Amino acid sequence: MSKAAGRLFFACVALFLALPVIVVAGVALNAKKTLAFPPQGLSADWYLSVLTDPAWRSALTNSVMVALAASTISVAIALPLSWFLWRRVAPWARLVQMIGFSPFVLPPVITALGALSFWATTGFYGQVWTVVISHGIFFVSLPLVTITLGFATIDREIIEAGMTMGADDKTLMKTVIFPLIRPFVISGFAFAFVLSLNEYIVAYMTVGFTLETIPIKVFNALRYGYTPTMAAVSVFFVLIAVLVFGTVARFGDLPKLMGAWSKGE
Amino acid sequence: MSGLQLIDITKRYGAVTAVDGISLDVDDGTFVCLLGPSGCGKTTLLRMIAGLEDPTAGEIRLQGDRINETPAHKRNLGMVFQSLALFPHLSIGENISYPLRIRGTNRADCEARVRELLDMVQLPGVENRAITQLSGGQRQRVAIARALAVSPQLFLLDEPLSALDAKLREAMQVELRQLQQRLGITTIVVTHDQREAMSMSDQIVVMSNGKVEQMATPIEAYKRPASPFVADFLGQANLIRVRGSEAGAAFSGGHIPGLALPDSGQALVSIRPEDIIVTADESGPVKAGIVFIREMGSTIEIHLDAGNERIIALAPPKSHCDLRVGSSVSLTLPPEACVVFGADGAS
Amino acid sequence: MRRSPPQRLADYLPIAFPAGMLGLFFVIPFGIMVAISVFKRVQGGFYEPSFTLANYARFLTPFFGEVLSFSLGLAALVSALCLLIGVPFTYMLTRLGRRAQVFWLIALLGVLSLSEVIIGFAWSTLLSRTAGLSNLFVWLGLMEKPEAWAPGLGAVLTGLVYQAFPYTVLVLYPAFSRLDPSLMEAARTLGCSPRRAFLNVVLPVMRKTLLATFIIVFIFALGAYLLPQILGRPQHWTLSVLVTDQAIYQSNMPFAAAMAVFLVIASLLLVGLSVLISGRKGIGEQ
């Protein structure tokens, strides 16, 4: 394929990926309180209302709080698990790892339904913290993948070199292993955070009637009353994702975190 | 009792025996090479000395004390790995000072020591650079500096020069040897390159199949190999099967006059290519035809068929300009240059 | 620090918390869901403990059969389309310079994080009569008057492909990154044009990865619960939509649970198949 054809192909894909984002961004600029594209009259009001409208602001706060807490739980589960699998010979632990991958591999509806049944049965249905736990479990796979990958990139000889230089297990963990793992932990956290912000069905099925996160509010808005605010919110969330991953890329080696060899290999 | 002692060390992995009852003494301050082909157990042996593997049986003693139970991080050694294993997340200075910092040395002393070590390996001023900014040979020196940072009592290296190109490797061999002599540190190097072992060591330990074939000085091992394996592994050797005759030792190409053979009358004889005398006429005791000539610059390598045996001889460059492939020549194999092994390969 | 089996009780500590959390909050909920699938439905949105296979029996209705075959067919089609575009795309992506790759990775991750709601909303706008792309085409003179392309099967397909595409690329990325460039080079020196080399050398080498990716994206597409609703008509509803519908709007938890169990078994079988095919020991241990 010639270079020009290749560039054209990439441009088409870029256009395809960007179109919805452009639409949504444009809709949010509409002066009137309707969803029209191309926008009729431009106004930045809707972008501002995300922060000024109390309903949206509280939904934003809810989403961020839930996402922060849930990602922390995801990492808290994934890190010791990956560590154990790397440090010890324990074939049975693979089973736990597979269970860790399952929620994300299975259709989200399943996890959502499972969460719903569980919380309903245990009587905690609707409590705010239930979505934190369910999201934490749902997104375990992401840090699990990145941290497992991270451990796999640690050359055993590096550990042995540390040993020959006088480092005991604790020192090795502190000075060698953790610094090498850290970027993978952060990227796993970032993934879980961003996906939790945008996650709809699990949130809806667990706390949909008691807590409004942004995706829930957007979906409700779709059904019951449009305002371009929801479009503005969506744009914000895309920007947050780009910002988060951009930061990860800035301080780490993003291709390597996604599975490529590192620079110069 | 000083130095390192290995007493009947064995390492088994399931049904596979990697190291089979090896006993060795390494004197303080000597430079020893563990030499052998891949899979002979030399790296396993080194790792057991380092404490990275546990022997299945046997004892390791350092300065008279048994260290089998001492974990690697307490053995006060410095090791250079084949992959160098430099910490990717630390700068060069941080890598070198690592063993000092984890022992609580203060910053000023660390920095001074790093400068001292970098000078010693002839890489001054690179403390703050990242590892990726250095070439292979430079990283090699950083690894060496790091291993020596705490002035350990044992310096272990696992195929340290295998990743370097030929010219750099030769230069590093000299440097490594000079460094070791200056510091007087007991050094054990694992290598499969016999020229490297010959050029650097006080003692060579030739290994094969988990056992020691010979431990001797390089020249001793070269001139008086203990087995055909050693003869063949160190440099080139012609291995010829002979049987007794009135003229001495005889084989299909001729005979070696005056060579004493064991009682059985059968033997395996080893002779180095440079010791064989090639004459353009038919006067020598062995008749041969030239099948291949290689001009190596400093010598000429001549491959000959003598009877059923393929023999390789080395000759000075200007001496035989009239020799061609297909010429008939005669060879003399001086008996004093021959090493005789029993028919089964034993000395 | 050497790799060895755990010896003391304390050695098991690191895995205690993960195992406990996953067991309590994933395995048990899952078990409860399986239990509910055999309960009896009670009017008014509840269910009572019992053991009945009535919910599973509904699988045998023609209606369910249609939904099932539609869901499977749609998921397969989406996966195939994603691979068709994604494979050459990912291959070319991994041959680009580092900076370009970082740019694209960030873009793909950004799109990946868009929730199904937003994607549905955006595409329903893009494909609508009043505000959509058809207006652009009319303006360009390619069409006579604007049309509504949503709701419809094409709209559902477009939305699903859009959602699954970044996922496809990110799953293919490690394998294509690590692909030995000398393979293509060798093929080129042997006389293949780049296109032929790609088809005859790269693709066969990547066969296992491609198959495994197909299955992964298939399961991903199977899980779409909003897009078929937003972009399609009721005849386009997939199994996941039905599960959501039954669970929330029809208040028929047992039936929803039964369908969910079915989906899980199907997904696990497919995942098992993909692991077998690619022969991997685990993600990240290539």
Side-chain angles (χ1 to χ4, degrees):
Chain A
M1 186 178 270
S2 68
K3 270 212 135 168
R7 293 234 178 92
L8 186 62
F9 179 53
F10 267 68
C12 288
V13 172
L15 190 64
F16 177 64
L17 290 177
L19 268 175
V21 180
I22 296 173
V23 165
V24 170
V27 162
L29 283 171
N30 200 33
K32 299 218 219 52
K33 198 184 165 187
T34 53
L35 293 176
F37 188 80
Q40 300 144 351
L42 294 177
S43 161
D45 282 350
W46 310 113
Y47 282 104
L48 291 172
S49 75
V50 175
L51 297 168
T52 53
D53 182 337
W56 285 102
R57 205 171 51 219
S58 89
L60 186 64
T61 316
N62 293 336
S63 285
V64 171
M65 294 281 107
V66 167
L68 279 174
S71 318
T72 311
I73 293 181
S74 293
V75 169
I77 296 177
L79 185 55
L81 181 56
S82 309
W83 159 255
F84 187 83
L85 284 163
W86 180 78
R87 171 82 173 84
R88 305 276 174 205
V89 175
W92 51 268
R94 291 256 165 243
L95 184 64
V96 184
Q97 190 191 36
M98 271 206 308
I99 298 180
F101 287 135
S102 309
F104 205 67
V105 167
L106 299 174
V109 159
I110 312 290
T111 314
L113 205 60
L116 177 60
S117 332
F118 180 72
W119 296 123
T121 312
T122 56
F124 295 116
Y125 176 68
Q127 304 248 10
V128 168
W129 50 270
T130 58
V131 70
V132 169
I133 293 186
S134 293
H135 263 194
I137 299 286
F138 185 45
F139 294 119
V140 159
S141 325
L142 300 161
L144 193 59
V145 165
T146 61
I147 298 178
T148 305
L149 183 64
F151 274 114
T153 63
I154 296 185
D155 189 0
R156 292 262 166 204
E157 285 200 338
I158 294 212
I159 303 294
E160 290 180 339
M163 285 164 73
T164 61
M165 283 188 275
D168 60 11
D169 281 11
K170 244 177 61 189
T171 313
L172 278 173
M173 270 214 271
K174 210 176 72 168
T175 58
V176 179
I177 297 179
F178 192 67
L180 289 174
I181 288 296
R182 197 170 44 216
F184 295 90
V185 172
I186 293 177
S187 76
F189 183 89
F191 275 127
F193 178 80
V194 168
L195 261 65
S196 166
L197 277 184
N198 289 282
E199 200 282 329
Y200 170 74
I201 190 96
V202 172
Y204 183 64
M205 287 224 204
T206 50
V207 296
F209 300 111
T210 51
L211 184 78
E212 259 194 335
T213 61
I214 295 278
I216 293 177
K217 193 157 174 62
V218 170
F219 191 58
N220 290 340
L222 249 172
R223 285 193 150 225
Y224 304 122
Y226 299 132
T227 61
T229 311
M230 73 189 220
V233 162
S234 315
V235 173
F236 267 134
F237 269 38
V238 172
L239 287 175
I240 291 179
V242 168
L243 194 71
V244 167
F245 293 126
T247 312
V248 170
R250 169 78 179 73
F251 290 106
D253 185 353
L254 190 60
K256 180 166 154 213
L257 291 169
M258 301 302 300
W261 302 120
S262 59
K263 275 185 275 226
E265 263 184 56
Chain B
M1 240 317 163
S2 70
L4 177 73
Q5 280 175 292
L6 301 177
I7 301 167
D8 214 21
I9 293 289
T10 303
K11 178 67 177 175
R12 270 187 280 272
Y13 295 104
V16 175
T17 306
V19 174
D20 196 356
I22 289 189
S23 296
L24 276 182
D25 284 341
V26 177
D27 292 331
D28 274 339
T30 53
F31 193 124
V32 172
C33 268
L34 301 179
L35 174 69
S38 308
C40 69
K42 54 194 193 295
T43 298
T44 312
L45 196 59
L46 193 77
R47 286 170 64 86
M48 286 195 280
I49 297 172
L52 298 171
E53 310 264 0
D54 294 322
T56 316
E59 201 172 69
I60 306 177
R61 291 202 197 178
L62 191 56
Q63 313 299 355
D65 298 320
R66 178 189 161 100
I67 60 169
N68 286 46
E69 284 74 38
T70 317
H73 65 272
K74 293 214 174 94
R75 289 194 188 188
N76 190 20
L77 36 85
M79 185 160 172
V80 175
F81 290 80
Q82 190 170 5
S83 68
L84 302 185
L86 295 173
F87 295 135
H89 61 289
L90 300 178
S91 70
I92 293 176
E94 287 167 343
N95 258 282
I96 296 178
S97 61
Y98 182 82
L100 297 162
R101 277 183 293 123
I102 61 174
R103 285 169 172 79
T105 315
N106 70 60
R107 237 181 89 165
D109 290 341
C110 281
E111 287 176 7
R113 181 76 174 133
V114 167
R115 276 195 295 270
E116 192 188 327
L117 287 159
L118 284 174
D119 282 337
M120 188 175 75
V121 298
Q122 292 163 46
L123 266 185
V126 302
E127 298 90 306
N128 295 319
R129 294 210 211 148
I131 301 173
T132 45
Q133 294 175 287
L134 297 189
S135 70
Q138 290 171 321
R139 287 186 222 186
Q140 183 63 265
R141 293 167 206 241
V142 172
I144 291 172
R146 185 178 72 170
L148 296 173
V150 290
S151 304
Q153 49 183 345
L154 265 185
F155 186 31
L156 307 174
L157 301 97
D158 186 2
E159 311 244 18
L161 308 180
S162 56
L164 303 176
D165 61 59
K167 215 155 176 167
L168 191 54
R169 200 184 317 185
E170 308 242 332
M172 281 302 296
Q173 285 166 12
V174 175
E175 269 190 55
L176 203 52
R177 177 59 161 153
Q178 288 177 328
L179 186 63
Q180 185 269 337
Q181 282 173 324
R182 200 160 69 232
L183 296 174
I185 186 172
T186 312
T187 303
I188 305 179
V189 173
V190 160
T191 179
H192 61 270
D193 183 342
Q194 46 94 10
R195 287 187 52 194
E196 189 166 290
M198 299 271 294
S199 71
M200 296 194 297
S201 12
D202 293 316
Q203 296 272 309
I204 292 190
V205 177
V206 182
M207 287 176 63
S208 152
N209 287 331
K211 288 189 166 36
V212 173
E213 295 270 337
Q214 184 171 12
M215 179 171 180
T217 63
I219 285 300
E220 174 77 17
Y222 184 80
K223 286 213 170 343
R224 300 274 133 218
S227 71
F229 176 84
V230 178
D232 196 37
F233 198 80
L234 285 182
Q236 283 177 316
N238 294 295
L239 292 168
I240 307 169
R241 289 212 170 272
V242 300
R243 45 179 201 293
S245 73
E246 318 88 40
F251 66 103
S252 55
H255 59 272
I256 306 171
L259 187 63
L261 293 182
D263 296 332
S264 62
Q266 306 257 17
L268 190 62
V269 165
S270 162
I271 181 164
R272 297 283 177 202
E274 62 269 19
D275 292 328
I276 297 179
I277 303 166
V278 182
T279 34
D281 54 37
E282 308 266 309
S283 59
V286 176
K287 309 285 182 281
I290 299 181
V291 295
F292 186 69
I293 293 186
R294 206 152 59 148
E295 306 246 7
M296 307 290 283
S298 51
T299 55
I300 305 180
E301 190 179 282
I302 310 171
H303 295 224
L304 311 113
D305 273 344
N308 300 330
E309 301 282 349
R310 172 61 60 94
I311 295 184
I312 300 178
L314 285 179
K318 297 184 177 71
S319 59
H320 294 87
C321 21
D322 49 337
L323 290 178
R324 302 268 177 277
V325 172
S327 317
S328 293
V329 297
S330 60
L331 310 173
T332 308
L333 279 54
E336 62 273 15
C338 291
V339 180
V340 179
F341 302 109
D344 57 354
S347 300
Chain C
M1 181 174 289
R2 285 188 256 155
R3 260 205 117 202
S4 57
Q7 277 141 2
R8 306 188 329 263
L9 196 60
D11 292 344
Y12 288 94
L13 259 171
I15 203 173
F17 177 69
M21 288 291 280
L22 285 170
L24 186 57
F25 296 114
F26 183 70
V27 178
I28 292 185
F30 190 74
I32 294 180
M33 197 179 70
V34 173
I36 292 180
S37 71
V38 294
F39 287 175
K40 203 166 82 163
R41 189 237 181 128
V42 167
Q43 281 304 114
F46 300 111
Y47 42 84
E48 60 180 24
S50 128
F51 187 88
T52 165
L53 292 174
N55 300 307
Y56 286 99
R58 288 177 73 171
F59 288 1
L60 301 173
T61 58
F63 167 71
F64 187 82
E66 270 174 36
V67 173
L68 181 64
S69 44
F70 178 74
S71 303
L72 294 175
L74 185 65
L77 189 55
V78 169
S79 190
L81 281 173
C82 283
L83 279 180
L84 199 62
I85 309 174
V87 167
F89 178 82
T90 314
Y91 175 71
M92 289 195 277
L93 177 67
T94 54
R95 307 296 124 182
L96 293 176
R98 205 89 182 167
R99 286 183 72 130
Q101 288 195 39
V102 170
F103 166 78
W104 273 103
L105 283 174
I106 296 180
L108 288 165
L109 288 168
V111 173
L112 188 70
S113 58
L114 283 174
S115 70
E116 224 176 311
V117 190
I118 308 301
I119 296 177
F121 162 63
W123 277 107
S124 72
T125 308
L126 270 171
L127 299 172
S128 67
R129 191 173 51 82
T130 49
L133 285 171
S134 54
N135 291 288
L136 184 67
F137 288 166
V138 166
W139 185 74
L140 284 174
L142 295 169
M143 284 174 66
E144 275 189 13
K145 61 178 174 61
E147 268 176 31
W149 287 326
L153 183 59
V156 174
L157 258 180
T158 312
L160 286 176
V161 167
Y162 184 85
Q163 189 192 27
F165 181 74
Y167 193 63
T168 312
V169 173
L170 290 174
V171 168
L172 288 170
Y173 184 75
F176 272 104
S177 293
R178 294 166 184 227
L179 183 64
D180 188 355
S182 52
L183 282 173
M184 270 291 269
E185 290 168 357
R188 303 273 303 278
T189 60
L190 290 169
C192 285
S193 69
R195 212 185 105 243
R196 266 189 68 195
F198 180 74
L199 288 173
N200 293 344
V201 175
V202 174
L203 287 186
V205 164
M206 300 292 265
R207 207 173 39 222
K208 283 190 190 170
T209 306
L210 295 180
L211 201 46
T213 309
F214 178 83
I215 293 176
I216 292 177
V217 179
F218 179 88
I219 297 175
F220 185 80
L222 209 55
Y225 52 88
L226 275 181
L227 285 174
Q229 279 185 66
I230 299 176
L231 293 170
R233 299 201 183 84
Q235 71 249 43
H236 302 128
W237 284 13
T238 59
L239 208 53
S240 295
V241 177
L242 226 57
V243 171
T244 325
D245 185 56
Q246 290 289 325
I248 299 175
Y249 304 115
Q250 313 290 344
S251 304
N252 190 350
M253 277 293 286
F255 185 43
M259 286 194 284
V261 168
F262 178 83
L263 262 177
V264 169
I265 294 178
S267 305
L268 285 178
L269 280 175
L270 288 169
V271 168
L273 191 64
S274 98
V275 167
L276 255 152
I277 290 175
S278 62
R280 287 195 259 166
K281 288 199 290 182
I283 303 181
E285 268 199 44
Q286 284 149 358

